[in-house]
Amino acid sequence: MLQRLPAIPENYFTVYYNLFTRSRLAPGETLLVHGGSSGIGLAAIQLAKACGATVITTAGTDEKCAFCESAGADKAVNYRTEDWPGIVREIAGKTKVDVVLDMVAGDYIQKNIDLLGRDGRYALIAFLGGSTAEVNFGKVMMNRLSISGSTLRPQSLDEKARIASDVEHTVWPMFENKTVRPHIHCTYPLKQAAQAHHLMMKGGGELPSTVTADYSVKMKRPTPTEKGKIHLVAKIVESTQDRATVEAELEADGKICATCVGTFVAVKPGHPAYHRW
């Protein structure tokens, strides 16, 4: 269980808050969740089925679709090879979909709105397909739809505490009796952290966020006169490097900026980007 713990907060907190607190998913309703094989998608499938909902999901390969159905989804649709809106419409029937949990957005927005029935709820949690879209709001008005968006990071400490308390009382007993459980696609030793990030960038699985913890580079705290300066750390962490080597090289290159507070780690060998923890 300890190995699975890092996969719980971001996934199950996000899903519970958006599906039940904000979207009020109820037993007997139909949920459409995109990205069903992701950590968020799996949590949504498990929690929705546990509450007695019908779950339809989308995923990008037949293998991922099979995984979603093995996790409890009533139907998983390969969005690359199948007409997912048509299949969802056929399954949902005249009552249509009650709740959509969407991490794609973009051109999915209008398709999701078209699939929602009267008093349907649309929860946006990410914009993998883009944050803009042309939308026919006539259907939103005629069907009395509710559209909401949220992300955990900007919530206040009190709000996060309430979410954690709700999960503790409602979801934690499901972990204890194994009604729901996180899925770890695979694990890597810390020295192979770069390979783990490479797999993530290919969409190959969900990994605990602690995998690369020891590869982060601690930054110096700024002096009052240094605050506000431009800063960037783009050092690539190779799998053969240990933390001391990375930190020494950054200092030698002058890439440890005194205005940065926190820790940084690169996302992939050869990729000129960084990720801020």
Side-chain angles (χ1 to χ4, degrees):
M1 183 63 182
L2 286 177
Q3 187 185 66
R4 300 176 187 272
L5 285 176
I8 291 176
E10 187 74 19
N11 294 327
Y12 289 87
F13 283 33
T14 297
V15 168
Y16 185 87
Y17 181 59
N18 282 279
L19 283 190
F20 299 100
T21 303
R22 296 180 66 85
S23 299
R24 308 176 307 282
L25 181 67
E29 291 191 319
T30 297
L31 167 70
L32 169 61
V33 54
H34 295 293
S37 63
S38 67
I40 291 287
L42 174 64
I45 291 169
Q46 292 179 334
L47 294 183
K49 290 303 296 181
C51 94
T54 296
V55 180
I56 308 169
T57 188
T58 62
T61 68
D62 291 341
E63 180 183 12
K64 290 181 179 180
C65 287
F67 168 77
C68 292
E69 292 182 355
S70 71
D74 294 279
K75 177 63 178 178
V77 186
N78 186 332
Y79 65 82
R80 288 196 173 100
T81 62
E82 299 179 279
D83 172 25
W84 68 264
I87 294 173
V88 172
R89 188 175 294 108
E90 181 180 348
I91 295 172
K94 292 183 179 180
T95 58
K96 297 191 173 182
V97 172
D98 297 290
V99 177
V100 173
L101 183 66
D102 184 17
M103 63 184 73
V104 180
D107 62 2
Y108 273 37
I109 293 178
Q110 186 62 57
K111 296 173 183 177
N112 290 325
I113 288 174
D114 292 342
L115 290 167
L116 282 165
R118 190 168 177 81
D119 293 320
R121 288 86 73 197
Y122 187 166
L124 279 161
I125 58 172
F127 304 103
L128 298 178
S131 59
T132 61
E134 183 175 339
V135 177
N136 177 3
F137 280 99
K139 290 194 174 183
V140 176
M141 296 173 61
M142 293 297 293
N143 290 329
R144 305 192 309 191
L145 306 184
S146 299
I147 301 176
S148 67
S150 75
T151 183
L152 285 180
R153 187 167 298 176
Q155 307 303 318
S156 69
L157 290 178
D158 286 343
E159 289 167 332
K160 291 176 180 177
R162 283 195 293 271
I163 294 171
S165 178
D166 289 342
V167 170
E168 179 185 9
H169 287 94
T170 306
V171 180
W172 203 259
M174 300 182 192
F175 289 126
E176 293 179 335
N177 64 26
K178 294 184 168 61
T179 301
V180 302
R181 60 186 303 175
H183 174 78
I184 304 300
H185 178 76
C186 59
T187 60
Y188 287 80
L190 194 56
K191 66 181 180 180
Q192 295 179 7
Q195 287 94 317
H197 277 284
H198 181 66
L199 176 66
M200 288 287 289
M201 293 184 73
K202 292 196 303 180
E206 291 291 322
L207 301 176
S209 59
T210 53
V211 166
T212 59
D214 290 342
Y215 275 82
S216 59
V217 179
K218 292 188 177 298
M219 314 309 291
K220 299 175 183 177
R221 189 169 294 277
T223 65
T225 58
E226 291 173 326
K227 289 183 177 179
K229 291 182 179 178
I230 300 298
H231 56 270
L232 174 66
V233 173
K235 177 64 182 178
I236 305 303
V237 179
E238 302 287 354
S239 62
T240 56
Q241 292 178 299
D242 59 23
R243 173 174 167 172
T245 301
V246 173
E247 189 164 357
E249 290 185 1
L250 283 170
E251 287 179 332
D253 293 341
K255 291 181 179 176
I256 292 188
C257 176
T259 63
C260 297
V261 180
T263 59
F264 289 78
V265 64
V267 294
K268 176 184 177 184
H271 191 286
Y274 70 92
H275 178 77
R276 184 170 185 170
W277 291 93

